[in-house]
Every structure is written in C-alpha cells, then in structure tokens.
Amino acid sequence: MIAYIKGKVTFKGGNYVIVETGGIGYIVYVAGKNISNIKEGQEIKLYTYLYWKENIDTLHLYGFLTFAELELFTTLNSISGIGPKSALAMSSFGSFTALKQAIESGEKLRELKGIGTKKMQKIILELTGKIKEIESKRKMPSKMEDALEGLVNLGFKREKARSVLEDVFDENKSVEELIKEALKYLGK
C-alpha cells in the first residue's frame, strides 16, 4: 500500500494529476473539488489509496489532500454498490461531519454525477451506521471521557450525553464543570 506521495505536479488533467517523485511520474486520480486547488509545478503531498480491480488487472491510485478525506473514501468505498469513482466524488466533502450534513440536507449530494436517488438512499442507510461507529471509536480527551462516565452513572444514555459533551466541551473546564454544563442541556 502507498500511504502518500509527495512530489511535483507535472501535469493536471480533468480528474487526475501526474506527480513526479524520484524520477517517476504517478497518475493520481483526484476529486473534482480538489483538482481545482492544485496547480501544475506545485509541490504536493497526497494521501493515497491503491485500488486494484482484479477482473481486468488494473491499478488506480486515488489521492486526497487530507487524511480525513482518505478515511472518508475508504469507508464509502467499502459500501456495497459504491465504487471508487463515487467514493472519490463524495470524499471531497472532506469529513464525516460535512458529508453527514450534506446527507441530512440532501441538496449537495444531488450535485454529484452518477449518484441517483436509489444509490443515495443506500448510501444514507449504510453510511449513517458507519459514521456512528467511527465517531464512537474516536478518542475523546480524558476530561470528556471522565465527564461522560459521570453522566452515564447518573442514568443518562451514553450517545445523548456524548453529543451534549461535544457541544459544551472546553479544555479549560474541570470534569465537574463539564458535567454541570451538560446537565443544563440534558435536563431539558
């Protein structure tokens, strides 16, 4: 697996760039939104995903400006019926949060080519669960973890308490202050 590629952009096409590093030029497919931010001659670092299509022995290298985009791409690409081209287009939202907001509004997803209503519904169903799973695995600051455990011990549901704590979290507040602040919203 190629984790990232760093080099000079020697050519920019409609949906790809050629990045030269170590005397070798690599074709890297990039989302349309990102390709507009890349210029020929620019030094660049792209996080990459190497895709191998077995039935036709083809390798494609997909590139992302941020690690969050790569993470989003790999999650989307794992959904049955969503190929790398659709996943690449949707990864340009940049993060799970931005994609979640786009899904909830529905407007921005309609702009993506090749994603019809049925496919969008499938994405929404499968991705909603995956987003919750990934968000729950993300590491919280220790103060937030302690406050969350305190709220759960007081009888609040973990998901609801976590959501409120994410809204009120301030690194300068103590665990007790975080719990008090969260209780103001949980008590409503």
Side-chain angles (χ1 to χ4, degrees):
M1 183 58 120
I2 301 170
Y4 67 87
I5 186 167
K6 188 175 182 179
K8 184 177 182 177
V9 177
T10 59
F11 181 80
K12 179 175 142 177
N15 64 343
Y16 70 94
V17 293
I18 296 177
V19 179
E20 182 181 334
T21 184
I24 300 172
Y26 296 89
I27 294 174
V28 184
Y29 294 93
V30 181
K33 177 184 144 200
N34 289 339
I35 207 153
S36 63
N37 295 325
I38 298 172
K39 295 177 179 36
E40 283 186 27
Q42 161 185 0
E43 287 291 323
I44 195 165
K45 178 179 180 180
L46 294 171
Y47 295 92
T48 58
Y49 180 89
L50 184 60
Y51 179 76
W52 175 41
K53 195 165 188 172
E54 291 180 52
N55 59 347
I56 57 173
D57 278 340
T58 300
L59 295 173
H60 289 276
L61 195 58
Y62 293 93
F64 310 90
L65 296 175
T66 66
F67 188 77
E69 288 178 4
L70 171 61
E71 185 180 41
L72 182 57
F73 171 86
T74 55
T75 301
L76 291 166
N77 196 45
S78 71
I79 295 173
S80 174
I82 306 300
K85 289 180 183 177
S86 295
L88 180 65
M90 288 185 288
S91 71
S92 67
F93 284 100
S95 70
F96 289 101
T97 305
L99 182 59
K100 187 177 177 181
Q101 290 170 349
I103 288 170
E104 288 167 356
S105 73
E107 291 303 312
K108 289 184 181 178
L109 282 182
R110 289 188 186 98
E111 298 169 8
L112 298 174
K113 294 176 183 166
I115 301 176
T117 306
K118 286 186 179 184
K119 191 181 267 189
M120 193 184 313
Q121 289 170 346
K122 180 178 181 144
I123 293 167
I124 290 168
L125 283 174
E126 292 200 32
L127 192 59
T128 301
K130 288 185 183 263
I131 288 173
K132 286 180 183 176
E133 180 183 321
I134 288 167
E135 286 176 345
S136 69
K137 288 181 182 177
R138 288 195 174 141
K139 185 76 175 138
M140 289 188 273
S142 61
K143 282 183 186 180
M144 188 186 276
E145 283 181 14
D146 292 343
L148 179 59
E149 289 308 313
L151 291 168
V152 169
N153 290 338
L154 289 171
F156 294 99
K157 292 190 177 194
R158 183 171 295 277
E159 299 82 30
K160 178 72 174 166
R162 181 185 179 117
S163 175
V164 170
L165 278 171
E166 287 174 351
D167 291 340
V168 301
F169 183 74
D170 181 348
E171 186 64 42
N172 298 320
K173 291 181 181 176
S174 69
V175 172
E176 294 79 16
E177 290 172 319
L178 288 171
I179 291 173
K180 286 179 185 177
E181 188 72 25
L183 285 171
K184 291 177 188 176
Y185 296 96
L186 289 167
K188 291 181 180 180

